[in-house]
Amino acid sequence: MSPDLIDRLGGERVPRYTSYPTAPHFTAEVGPQEVAGWLSGIGEGEAVSAYLHVPFCAELCLYCGCHTKVARRYAPIESYVAALEREIDLVAGRVAGRPTLRHLHWGGGTPTSLRGSDMRRIGARLREGFRFARDIEIAVEIDPRTLTPADVETLAAIGVTRASLGVQSLDPQVQRAIRRVQSVEETARAVAWLRHVGIEAVNIDLMVGLPHQSVDNVIATLDHALDLAPDRVAVFGYGHVPWMKPHQRALPEAALPGPRERHAQFEAAAARLVRAGYLRVGLDHFAQPDDPLARAMAEGRLFRNFQGYTTDAAETLIGFGASAISSLPGGYAQNTLDIAAYGDALRRGRLATARGLVPTPEDRLRREVIERLMCDLAVDLDAVCARHGVAASSVFASELAALAEMERLGVVRRAGHRITVPEDMRGLVRSASAVFDARLSGGPGRHSPSL
Protein backbone atom coordinates (compact mmCIF):
# COMPACT_ATOMS: atom_id res chain seq x y z
CA MET A 1 0.00 0.00 0.00
CA SER A 2 1.53 3.27 -1.09
CA PRO A 3 2.15 6.12 1.36
CA ASP A 4 -0.06 8.38 -0.78
CA LEU A 5 -2.98 5.93 -0.50
CA ILE A 6 -2.46 5.64 3.25
CA ASP A 7 -2.54 9.44 3.52
CA ARG A 8 -5.67 9.60 1.37
CA LEU A 9 -7.77 6.87 3.01
CA GLY A 10 -5.97 5.94 6.22
CA GLY A 11 -7.53 8.68 8.30
CA GLU A 12 -11.03 8.15 6.93
CA ARG A 13 -13.44 7.46 9.79
CA VAL A 14 -15.59 4.45 9.03
CA PRO A 15 -17.44 1.88 11.18
CA ARG A 16 -15.91 -1.41 12.29
CA TYR A 17 -19.06 -3.09 10.93
CA THR A 18 -19.80 -5.47 13.76
CA SER A 19 -23.39 -4.86 12.67
CA TYR A 20 -25.31 -3.14 9.90
CA PRO A 21 -26.96 -0.74 10.36
CA THR A 22 -24.47 0.35 12.99
CA ALA A 23 -25.34 1.32 16.57
CA PRO A 24 -25.24 5.13 16.05
CA HIS A 25 -28.42 4.74 13.99
CA PHE A 26 -30.39 3.07 16.79
CA THR A 27 -33.32 5.15 18.08
CA ALA A 28 -35.77 5.16 20.99
CA GLU A 29 -38.51 3.94 18.63
CA VAL A 30 -37.52 0.43 19.74
CA GLY A 31 -38.25 -0.17 23.42
CA PRO A 32 -39.15 -2.92 25.91
CA GLN A 33 -42.52 -3.67 24.34
CA GLU A 34 -41.06 -4.28 20.87
CA VAL A 35 -38.27 -6.45 22.25
CA ALA A 36 -40.72 -8.54 24.30
CA GLY A 37 -42.62 -9.25 21.09
CA TRP A 38 -39.43 -10.25 19.26
CA LEU A 39 -38.41 -12.58 22.09
CA SER A 40 -41.78 -14.34 21.94
CA GLY A 41 -40.92 -15.47 18.42
CA ILE A 42 -37.95 -17.54 19.62
CA GLY A 43 -39.05 -21.14 19.75
CA GLU A 44 -38.23 -24.35 21.56
CA GLY A 45 -34.75 -25.65 20.77
CA GLU A 46 -33.84 -22.71 18.51
CA ALA A 47 -30.09 -22.09 18.37
CA VAL A 48 -29.21 -18.79 20.05
CA SER A 49 -26.15 -17.04 21.44
CA ALA A 50 -25.75 -14.76 24.42
CA TYR A 51 -23.49 -11.92 25.46
CA LEU A 52 -23.22 -10.97 29.13
CA HIS A 53 -21.76 -7.55 29.94
CA VAL A 54 -19.97 -6.80 33.23
CA PRO A 55 -19.24 -3.04 33.26
CA PHE A 56 -16.72 -2.90 36.11
CA CYS A 57 -12.93 -2.71 36.29
CA ALA A 58 -10.31 -2.28 38.99
CA GLU A 59 -8.98 0.76 37.12
CA LEU A 60 -9.75 2.52 33.86
CA CYS A 61 -7.24 2.06 31.04
CA LEU A 62 -6.94 5.31 29.12
CA TYR A 63 -7.33 3.75 25.66
CA CYS A 64 -10.58 1.98 26.62
CA GLY A 65 -13.64 2.43 24.42
CA CYS A 66 -15.87 0.03 26.37
CA HIS A 67 -18.83 0.84 28.59
CA THR A 68 -17.25 0.29 31.99
CA LYS A 69 -16.49 2.05 35.26
CA VAL A 70 -14.16 1.65 38.22
CA ALA A 71 -15.73 -0.08 41.22
CA ARG A 72 -14.08 0.70 44.57
CA ARG A 73 -16.65 -1.27 46.57
CA TYR A 74 -18.43 -4.52 45.89
CA ALA A 75 -21.92 -3.30 46.81
CA PRO A 76 -22.68 -1.81 43.33
CA ILE A 77 -21.45 -5.02 41.69
CA GLU A 78 -23.65 -7.09 43.99
CA SER A 79 -26.69 -5.01 42.97
CA TYR A 80 -25.76 -5.43 39.34
CA VAL A 81 -25.60 -9.22 39.71
CA ALA A 82 -29.15 -9.19 41.09
CA ALA A 83 -30.27 -7.14 38.06
CA LEU A 84 -28.59 -9.59 35.69
CA GLU A 85 -30.45 -12.47 37.33
CA ARG A 86 -33.74 -10.60 36.93
CA GLU A 87 -33.01 -9.92 33.27
CA ILE A 88 -32.15 -13.56 32.56
CA ASP A 89 -35.40 -14.65 34.22
CA LEU A 90 -37.40 -12.00 32.35
CA VAL A 91 -35.96 -12.94 28.95
CA ALA A 92 -36.36 -16.68 29.59
CA GLY A 93 -39.97 -16.02 30.52
CA ARG A 94 -40.64 -14.13 27.28
CA VAL A 95 -39.35 -16.73 24.79
CA ALA A 96 -41.83 -19.25 23.43
CA GLY A 97 -39.77 -22.29 24.36
CA ARG A 98 -36.40 -23.15 25.84
CA PRO A 99 -33.78 -22.14 23.27
CA THR A 100 -30.45 -23.92 22.87
CA LEU A 101 -27.47 -21.76 23.76
CA ARG A 102 -24.53 -22.46 21.45
CA HIS A 103 -22.22 -19.54 22.28
CA LEU A 104 -21.92 -17.54 25.50
CA HIS A 105 -19.53 -14.62 25.80
CA TRP A 106 -18.72 -12.92 29.11
CA GLY A 107 -17.40 -9.43 28.33
CA GLY A 108 -16.81 -6.09 29.93
CA GLY A 109 -15.24 -4.44 31.70
CA THR A 110 -13.73 -7.28 33.64
CA PRO A 111 -16.07 -10.25 34.14
CA THR A 112 -13.88 -11.62 36.94
CA SER A 113 -14.61 -8.49 38.97
CA LEU A 114 -17.62 -10.57 40.05
CA ARG A 115 -17.12 -12.86 43.00
CA GLY A 116 -16.84 -16.49 42.11
CA SER A 117 -20.10 -17.28 43.87
CA ASP A 118 -21.88 -14.64 41.79
CA MET A 119 -20.44 -15.90 38.52
CA ARG A 120 -21.65 -19.37 39.42
CA ARG A 121 -25.13 -18.04 40.29
CA ILE A 122 -25.41 -16.33 36.93
CA GLY A 123 -24.17 -19.43 35.13
CA ALA A 124 -26.75 -21.54 36.95
CA ARG A 125 -29.51 -19.02 36.14
CA LEU A 126 -28.65 -19.23 32.44
CA ARG A 127 -28.81 -23.02 32.56
CA GLU A 128 -32.28 -22.80 34.09
CA GLY A 129 -33.57 -20.58 31.28
CA PHE A 130 -31.71 -22.10 28.33
CA ARG A 131 -30.56 -25.48 27.16
CA PHE A 132 -26.79 -25.56 26.78
CA ALA A 133 -25.55 -27.27 23.62
CA ARG A 134 -23.20 -30.16 24.31
CA ASP A 135 -20.47 -28.39 22.32
CA ILE A 136 -21.23 -24.88 23.59
CA GLU A 137 -18.40 -22.37 23.44
CA ILE A 138 -18.21 -20.27 26.61
CA ALA A 139 -15.72 -17.44 26.27
CA VAL A 140 -14.57 -14.90 28.82
CA GLU A 141 -12.51 -11.70 28.65
CA ILE A 142 -9.72 -11.55 31.23
CA ASP A 143 -7.46 -8.91 32.72
CA PRO A 144 -4.34 -10.92 33.69
CA ARG A 145 -3.38 -8.29 36.29
CA THR A 146 -6.34 -9.06 38.53
CA LEU A 147 -6.82 -12.77 37.81
CA THR A 148 -6.45 -15.12 40.80
CA PRO A 149 -6.31 -18.93 41.10
CA ALA A 150 -9.77 -18.80 42.68
CA ASP A 151 -11.08 -16.93 39.60
CA VAL A 152 -9.64 -19.59 37.34
CA GLU A 153 -11.32 -22.36 39.34
CA THR A 154 -14.62 -20.51 38.98
CA LEU A 155 -14.17 -20.18 35.22
CA ALA A 156 -13.57 -23.91 34.95
CA ALA A 157 -16.61 -24.62 37.13
CA ILE A 158 -18.96 -22.57 34.91
CA GLY A 159 -17.70 -24.35 31.80
CA VAL A 160 -15.48 -21.72 30.18
CA THR A 161 -13.81 -23.13 27.07
CA ARG A 162 -12.01 -20.06 25.70
CA ALA A 163 -10.28 -17.11 27.38
CA SER A 164 -9.32 -13.81 25.77
CA LEU A 165 -6.49 -12.01 27.56
CA GLY A 166 -6.12 -8.27 27.23
CA VAL A 167 -2.47 -7.39 26.70
CA GLN A 168 -2.37 -4.46 24.22
CA SER A 169 1.34 -3.69 24.73
CA LEU A 170 4.10 -4.99 26.96
CA ASP A 171 6.36 -1.98 26.40
CA PRO A 172 6.87 -0.09 29.71
CA GLN A 173 6.67 3.39 28.16
CA VAL A 174 3.48 2.57 26.30
CA GLN A 175 1.98 0.95 29.39
CA ARG A 176 2.63 4.02 31.52
CA ALA A 177 1.04 6.25 28.89
CA ILE A 178 -2.14 4.15 28.65
CA ARG A 179 -2.27 3.50 32.41
CA ARG A 180 -2.10 -0.26 32.07
CA VAL A 181 1.07 -1.62 33.64
CA GLN A 182 1.16 -5.37 33.05
CA SER A 183 4.24 -7.56 33.19
CA VAL A 184 5.19 -10.41 30.90
CA GLU A 185 5.23 -12.64 33.98
CA GLU A 186 1.63 -11.75 34.96
CA THR A 187 0.43 -12.58 31.48
CA ALA A 188 2.31 -15.89 31.28
CA ARG A 189 1.10 -16.86 34.75
CA ALA A 190 -2.53 -16.29 33.76
CA VAL A 191 -2.14 -18.49 30.67
CA ALA A 192 -0.49 -21.25 32.75
CA TRP A 193 -3.29 -21.16 35.33
CA LEU A 194 -5.98 -21.37 32.64
CA ARG A 195 -4.39 -24.31 30.89
CA HIS A 196 -3.81 -26.07 34.18
CA VAL A 197 -7.58 -26.26 34.79
CA GLY A 198 -8.30 -27.35 31.23
CA ILE A 199 -9.11 -24.03 29.55
CA GLU A 200 -6.83 -24.69 26.59
CA ALA A 201 -8.15 -22.20 24.02
CA VAL A 202 -6.41 -18.88 24.64
CA ASN A 203 -6.73 -15.64 22.67
CA ILE A 204 -4.44 -12.65 23.12
CA ASP A 205 -5.56 -9.12 22.26
CA LEU A 206 -2.95 -6.58 21.16
CA MET A 207 -3.15 -3.03 19.85
CA VAL A 208 -1.32 -0.78 17.42
CA GLY A 209 -1.53 2.99 17.24
CA LEU A 210 -1.10 3.61 20.98
CA PRO A 211 1.08 6.45 22.28
CA HIS A 212 4.82 5.77 21.91
CA GLN A 213 4.28 2.59 19.91
CA SER A 214 6.76 1.76 17.18
CA VAL A 215 7.29 -1.17 14.86
CA ASP A 216 10.08 -2.39 17.13
CA ASN A 217 8.14 -2.39 20.39
CA VAL A 218 5.03 -3.84 18.71
CA ILE A 219 7.12 -6.77 17.47
CA ALA A 220 8.78 -7.17 20.87
CA THR A 221 5.33 -7.43 22.49
CA LEU A 222 4.20 -9.87 19.84
CA ASP A 223 7.22 -12.10 20.39
CA HIS A 224 6.39 -12.33 24.09
CA ALA A 225 2.80 -13.19 23.16
CA LEU A 226 3.90 -15.89 20.72
CA ASP A 227 5.98 -17.52 23.46
CA LEU A 228 2.61 -18.34 25.09
CA ALA A 229 1.40 -20.20 21.95
CA PRO A 230 -2.07 -18.59 21.81
CA ASP A 231 -4.70 -20.12 19.53
CA ARG A 232 -5.71 -16.68 18.27
CA VAL A 233 -4.21 -13.22 18.25
CA ALA A 234 -6.19 -10.06 17.57
CA VAL A 235 -4.31 -6.91 16.57
CA PHE A 236 -6.72 -4.02 16.92
CA GLY A 237 -6.12 -0.46 15.82
CA TYR A 238 -6.60 1.99 18.67
CA GLY A 239 -9.60 4.27 18.13
CA HIS A 240 -8.92 7.75 19.52
CA VAL A 241 -12.34 9.32 20.17
CA PRO A 242 -11.89 11.65 23.19
CA TRP A 243 -15.11 13.52 22.32
CA MET A 244 -16.94 10.25 23.07
CA LYS A 245 -14.60 8.83 25.74
CA PRO A 246 -13.35 11.84 27.75
CA HIS A 247 -10.74 9.82 29.69
CA GLN A 248 -8.81 9.43 26.42
CA ARG A 249 -7.94 13.13 26.69
CA ALA A 250 -5.37 12.15 29.31
CA LEU A 251 -3.35 10.34 26.65
CA PRO A 252 -0.39 12.26 25.16
CA GLU A 253 -1.84 13.01 21.73
CA ALA A 254 1.50 14.17 20.37
CA ALA A 255 2.82 10.64 20.93
CA LEU A 256 0.04 8.97 18.89
CA PRO A 257 1.34 7.38 15.67
CA GLY A 258 -0.07 8.71 12.40
CA PRO A 259 -1.73 6.57 9.69
CA ARG A 260 1.55 5.59 8.04
CA GLU A 261 3.08 4.53 11.35
CA ARG A 262 -0.08 2.64 12.40
CA HIS A 263 -0.12 0.81 9.08
CA ALA A 264 3.57 -0.10 9.36
CA GLN A 265 3.02 -1.43 12.89
CA PHE A 266 0.06 -3.55 11.87
CA GLU A 267 1.69 -4.98 8.74
CA ALA A 268 4.88 -5.81 10.65
CA ALA A 269 2.80 -7.66 13.24
CA ALA A 270 0.83 -9.46 10.53
CA ALA A 271 4.00 -10.58 8.75
CA ARG A 272 5.48 -11.85 12.02
CA LEU A 273 2.30 -13.82 12.81
CA VAL A 274 2.15 -15.35 9.34
CA ARG A 275 5.80 -16.42 9.62
CA ALA A 276 4.86 -18.07 12.93
CA GLY A 277 2.20 -20.15 11.16
CA TYR A 278 -0.95 -18.15 11.89
CA LEU A 279 -3.57 -17.53 9.21
CA ARG A 280 -4.99 -14.05 8.63
CA VAL A 281 -8.70 -13.97 9.42
CA GLY A 282 -10.67 -11.00 8.17
CA LEU A 283 -9.33 -7.57 9.05
CA ASP A 284 -7.43 -7.97 12.30
CA HIS A 285 -7.55 -11.57 13.59
CA PHE A 286 -4.99 -14.34 13.28
CA ALA A 287 -5.57 -18.00 14.11
CA GLN A 288 -3.71 -21.26 14.21
CA PRO A 289 -4.64 -23.40 11.16
CA ASP A 290 -6.56 -25.92 13.28
CA ASP A 291 -8.48 -23.26 15.21
CA PRO A 292 -12.26 -23.21 14.55
CA LEU A 293 -12.01 -19.61 13.33
CA ALA A 294 -9.44 -20.52 10.68
CA ARG A 295 -11.47 -23.54 9.59
CA ALA A 296 -14.62 -21.44 9.34
CA MET A 297 -12.80 -18.92 7.16
CA ALA A 298 -11.52 -21.65 4.85
CA GLU A 299 -15.03 -23.10 4.50
CA GLY A 300 -16.81 -19.76 3.97
CA ARG A 301 -18.53 -19.98 7.35
CA LEU A 302 -16.99 -16.94 9.02
CA PHE A 303 -19.37 -14.39 10.54
CA ARG A 304 -19.15 -11.05 12.29
CA ASN A 305 -21.14 -9.89 15.30
CA PHE A 306 -20.80 -7.41 18.15
CA GLN A 307 -17.90 -9.43 19.61
CA GLY A 308 -16.02 -9.40 16.28
CA TYR A 309 -15.18 -12.37 14.06
CA THR A 310 -16.94 -15.56 15.03
CA THR A 311 -17.94 -19.06 13.98
CA ASP A 312 -21.37 -18.36 15.45
CA ALA A 313 -24.07 -18.83 12.80
CA ALA A 314 -27.03 -18.24 15.14
CA GLU A 315 -29.40 -15.54 13.89
CA THR A 316 -30.33 -14.61 17.46
CA LEU A 317 -27.88 -13.02 19.86
CA ILE A 318 -29.30 -11.99 23.23
CA GLY A 319 -27.40 -9.31 25.12
CA PHE A 320 -27.63 -9.21 28.92
CA GLY A 321 -26.41 -6.30 31.03
CA ALA A 322 -26.14 -2.52 30.80
CA SER A 323 -25.27 -1.36 27.24
CA ALA A 324 -25.55 -4.92 25.86
CA ILE A 325 -26.88 -5.19 22.30
CA SER A 326 -29.16 -7.95 21.05
CA SER A 327 -29.65 -9.02 17.45
CA LEU A 328 -33.11 -10.57 17.36
CA PRO A 329 -35.40 -11.80 14.57
CA GLY A 330 -37.20 -8.47 14.58
CA GLY A 331 -34.19 -6.18 14.80
CA TYR A 332 -31.50 -4.74 17.04
CA ALA A 333 -32.02 -3.69 20.65
CA GLN A 334 -29.64 -2.08 23.12
CA ASN A 335 -30.04 -1.87 26.87
CA THR A 336 -29.57 1.45 28.58
CA LEU A 337 -25.94 2.40 29.18
CA ASP A 338 -26.76 3.77 32.63
CA ILE A 339 -26.13 1.06 35.24
CA ALA A 340 -28.57 2.57 37.77
CA ALA A 341 -31.33 2.91 35.16
CA TYR A 342 -30.67 -0.66 34.04
CA GLY A 343 -31.19 -1.94 37.57
CA ASP A 344 -34.27 0.23 38.14
CA ALA A 345 -36.00 -1.08 35.01
CA LEU A 346 -35.47 -4.68 36.00
CA ARG A 347 -36.62 -4.09 39.58
CA ARG A 348 -39.88 -2.87 38.04
CA GLY A 349 -40.12 -6.06 36.02
CA ARG A 350 -39.36 -4.34 32.70
CA LEU A 351 -36.73 -5.02 30.08
CA ALA A 352 -34.02 -2.35 30.09
CA THR A 353 -34.14 -1.62 26.35
CA ALA A 354 -33.28 2.00 25.59
CA ARG A 355 -33.05 2.01 21.81
CA GLY A 356 -32.80 -0.16 18.74
CA LEU A 357 -33.61 -0.45 15.07
CA VAL A 358 -35.86 -2.47 12.78
CA PRO A 359 -33.81 -3.24 9.64
CA THR A 360 -35.53 -2.75 6.31
CA PRO A 361 -35.24 -5.40 3.57
CA GLU A 362 -32.58 -3.20 1.97
CA ASP A 363 -30.69 -3.01 5.28
CA ARG A 364 -30.65 -6.80 5.44
CA LEU A 365 -29.30 -7.01 1.90
CA ARG A 366 -26.58 -4.47 2.60
CA ARG A 367 -25.75 -6.22 5.89
CA GLU A 368 -25.00 -9.46 4.03
CA VAL A 369 -22.85 -7.67 1.44
CA ILE A 370 -20.84 -5.87 4.12
CA GLU A 371 -20.46 -8.99 6.26
CA ARG A 372 -19.12 -11.03 3.34
CA LEU A 373 -16.63 -8.31 2.46
CA MET A 374 -15.48 -8.00 6.06
CA CYS A 375 -15.17 -11.79 6.46
CA ASP A 376 -14.12 -13.04 3.03
CA LEU A 377 -12.60 -9.90 1.48
CA ALA A 378 -14.88 -10.71 -1.45
CA VAL A 379 -18.55 -10.66 -2.33
CA ASP A 380 -20.58 -11.80 -5.34
CA LEU A 381 -23.25 -9.12 -5.56
CA ASP A 382 -25.34 -11.10 -8.03
CA ALA A 383 -25.46 -14.12 -5.70
CA VAL A 384 -26.34 -12.04 -2.63
CA CYS A 385 -28.96 -10.00 -4.48
CA ALA A 386 -30.53 -13.15 -5.91
CA ARG A 387 -31.09 -14.40 -2.35
CA HIS A 388 -32.94 -11.16 -1.63
CA GLY A 389 -34.93 -11.14 -4.87
CA VAL A 390 -33.38 -8.04 -6.44
CA ALA A 391 -30.88 -7.21 -9.20
CA ALA A 392 -27.45 -5.89 -8.25
CA SER A 393 -27.33 -3.44 -11.17
CA SER A 394 -30.51 -1.72 -10.02
CA VAL A 395 -29.89 -1.66 -6.25
CA PHE A 396 -26.18 -0.85 -6.34
CA ALA A 397 -25.86 1.42 -9.39
CA SER A 398 -24.29 4.31 -7.42
CA GLU A 399 -22.10 1.95 -5.38
CA LEU A 400 -20.74 0.32 -8.53
CA ALA A 401 -19.86 3.76 -9.85
CA ALA A 402 -18.10 4.64 -6.58
CA LEU A 403 -16.17 1.37 -6.72
CA ALA A 404 -14.70 2.40 -10.07
CA GLU A 405 -12.55 4.97 -8.27
CA MET A 406 -11.55 2.43 -5.64
CA GLU A 407 -10.66 0.03 -8.42
CA ARG A 408 -8.48 2.69 -10.03
CA LEU A 409 -6.70 3.13 -6.70
CA GLY A 410 -6.22 -0.64 -6.40
CA VAL A 411 -8.33 -0.94 -3.24
CA VAL A 412 -10.71 -3.38 -4.94
CA ARG A 413 -10.79 -5.56 -8.02
CA ARG A 414 -13.93 -6.21 -10.04
CA ALA A 415 -14.97 -9.05 -12.29
CA GLY A 416 -18.50 -8.21 -13.31
CA HIS A 417 -20.36 -7.86 -10.03
CA ARG A 418 -17.82 -9.82 -8.01
CA ILE A 419 -15.84 -7.48 -5.74
CA THR A 420 -12.53 -8.54 -4.20
CA VAL A 421 -10.20 -6.71 -1.82
CA PRO A 422 -6.60 -7.69 -2.73
CA GLU A 423 -4.38 -9.06 0.02
CA ASP A 424 -2.18 -5.96 0.09
CA MET A 425 -5.30 -3.79 0.59
CA ARG A 426 -6.79 -5.90 3.40
CA GLY A 427 -6.33 -3.01 5.83
CA LEU A 428 -8.80 -0.92 3.80
CA VAL A 429 -11.61 -3.48 3.76
CA ARG A 430 -13.66 -1.22 6.06
CA SER A 431 -13.38 1.57 3.48
CA ALA A 432 -14.50 -0.81 0.72
CA SER A 433 -17.41 -1.98 2.90
CA ALA A 434 -18.42 1.61 3.62
CA VAL A 435 -19.28 2.07 -0.07
CA PHE A 436 -22.33 -0.13 0.59
CA ASP A 437 -23.34 1.71 3.77
CA ALA A 438 -26.34 3.78 2.71
CA ARG A 439 -26.68 5.23 6.22
CA LEU A 440 -23.10 6.42 6.68
CA SER A 441 -22.91 10.11 7.53
CA GLY A 442 -19.87 12.30 7.20
CA GLY A 443 -20.28 13.70 10.70
CA PRO A 444 -17.19 13.78 12.89
CA GLY A 445 -16.25 11.47 15.64
CA ARG A 446 -18.53 8.47 15.53
CA HIS A 447 -15.99 6.06 14.13
CA SER A 448 -12.30 5.19 14.29
CA PRO A 449 -9.78 5.69 11.43
CA SER A 450 -9.73 3.03 8.73
CA LEU A 451 -6.00 2.41 9.32
Side-chain angles (χ1 to χ4, degrees):
M1 193 182 301
S2 71
D4 287 345
L5 187 57
I6 293 172
D7 291 342
R8 178 169 179 171
L9 295 180
E12 183 181 41
R13 291 189 174 272
V14 289
R16 295 186 185 271
Y17 292 117
T18 53
S19 71
Y20 183 81
T22 55
H25 299 288
F26 294 0
T27 73
E29 291 180 10
V30 170
Q33 186 173 347
E34 288 75 18
V35 174
W38 295 346
L39 289 170
S40 68
I42 300 172
E44 178 73 26
E46 182 175 335
V48 302
S49 299
Y51 171 75
L52 198 148
H53 190 68
V54 180
F56 301 102
C57 291
E59 64 178 336
L60 188 61
C61 304
L62 295 181
Y63 63 83
C64 185
C66 301
H67 295 297
T68 188
K69 63 181 294 184
V70 174
R72 303 297 184 194
R73 300 176 299 113
Y74 196 74
I77 302 177
E78 195 167 37
S79 297
Y80 186 78
V81 168
L84 276 175
E85 290 185 293
R86 293 188 188 101
E87 186 178 21
I88 293 167
D89 290 347
L90 201 55
V91 169
R94 292 285 190 274
V95 298
R98 195 159 173 249
T100 298
L101 202 56
R102 299 199 58 83
H103 290 256
L104 171 60
H105 189 106
W106 293 72
T110 306
T112 51
S113 61
L114 272 59
R115 289 175 180 153
S117 57
D118 286 336
M119 292 193 81
R120 292 173 194 240
R121 279 171 52 198
I122 292 169
R125 209 62 161 242
L126 285 166
R127 288 182 181 274
E128 290 172 8
F130 299 86
R131 287 190 173 89
F132 275 40
R134 291 178 60 186
D135 59 347
I136 186 173
E137 178 178 80
I138 302 179
V140 63
E141 297 171 11
I142 286 173
D143 182 344
R145 300 172 300 166
T146 59
L147 192 69
T148 69
D151 292 332
V152 174
E153 293 294 337
T154 295
L155 299 181
I158 64 174
V160 167
T161 60
R162 180 175 296 278
S164 291
L165 278 67
V167 175
Q168 322 318 341
S169 174
L170 292 168
D171 180 80
Q173 185 182 20
V174 177
Q175 289 185 345
R176 288 191 296 271
I178 64 175
R179 201 182 293 162
R180 186 188 176 98
V181 176
Q182 176 176 326
S183 70
V184 174
E185 292 74 22
E186 284 174 312
T187 308
R189 183 182 63 195
V191 172
W193 284 345
L194 290 163
R195 288 178 171 154
H196 178 72
V197 298
I199 303 173
E200 298 286 344
V202 172
N203 306 350
I204 289 183
D205 295 340
L206 305 178
M207 274 190 168
V208 297
L210 294 169
H212 304 299
Q213 276 190 307
S214 65
V215 167
D216 287 345
N217 63 39
V218 166
I219 294 301
T221 289
L222 183 54
D223 284 340
H224 284 304
L226 290 175
D227 287 341
L228 304 176
D231 298 77
R232 300 176 190 171
V233 178
V235 184
F236 299 115
Y238 165 61
H240 190 57
V241 287
W243 47 89
M244 293 175 63
K245 298 293 179 180
H247 58 267
Q248 292 184 351
R249 294 178 186 143
L251 290 169
E253 289 201 24
L256 288 171
R260 293 191 189 186
E261 293 81 4
R262 287 169 62 103
H263 179 66
Q265 291 168 19
F266 181 84
E267 289 303 322
R272 177 71 182 88
L273 282 158
V274 169
R275 286 197 304 273
Y278 290 78
L279 300 181
R280 295 188 72 160
V281 177
L283 172 65
D284 46 22
H285 281 50
F286 301 81
Q288 296 275 17
D290 60 348
D291 184 89
L293 204 64
R295 294 201 303 269
M297 178 188 66
E299 297 167 6
R301 297 183 294 101
L302 187 65
F303 299 97
R304 193 156 170 83
N305 65 19
F306 297 107
Q307 282 71 65
Y309 289 106
T310 180
T311 61
D312 182 10
E315 294 185 5
T316 296
L317 168 65
I318 302 173
F320 295 102
S323 81
I325 302 178
S326 298
S327 180
L328 301 170
Y332 296 119
Q334 184 174 26
N335 284 343
T336 177
L337 278 61
D338 185 274
I339 296 171
Y342 166 78
D344 288 343
L346 289 156
R347 274 191 293 274
R348 295 196 305 270
R350 291 172 53 86
L351 294 168
T353 311
R355 61 187 193 134
L357 183 141
V358 179
T360 66
E362 184 177 334
D363 286 334
R364 296 179 188 275
L365 166 63
R366 291 177 181 274
R367 175 169 64 189
E368 185 175 349
V369 169
I370 289 171
E371 183 174 46
R372 296 302 5 120
L373 269 175
M374 291 293 298
C375 292
D376 304 334
L377 277 70
V379 63
D380 184 333
L381 295 180
D382 287 331
V384 174
C385 286
R387 287 194 287 274
H388 292 260
V390 296
S393 56
S394 61
V395 176
F396 293 128
S398 62
E399 287 81 0
L400 291 167
L403 284 169
E405 173 64 9
M406 283 204 150
E407 186 177 18
R408 186 187 71 77
L409 293 170
V411 176
V412 300
R413 293 176 185 152
R414 290 178 54 190
H417 290 158
R418 181 172 175 79
I419 313 300
T420 304
V421 177
E423 181 61 35
D424 62 338
M425 295 292 169
R426 184 186 289 258
L428 290 173
V429 67
R430 289 165 58 205
S431 295
S433 299
V435 171
F436 295 94
D437 186 344
R439 294 173 177 259
L440 184 62
S441 68
R446 287 188 169 184
H447 308 295
S448 59
S450 60
L451 286 177

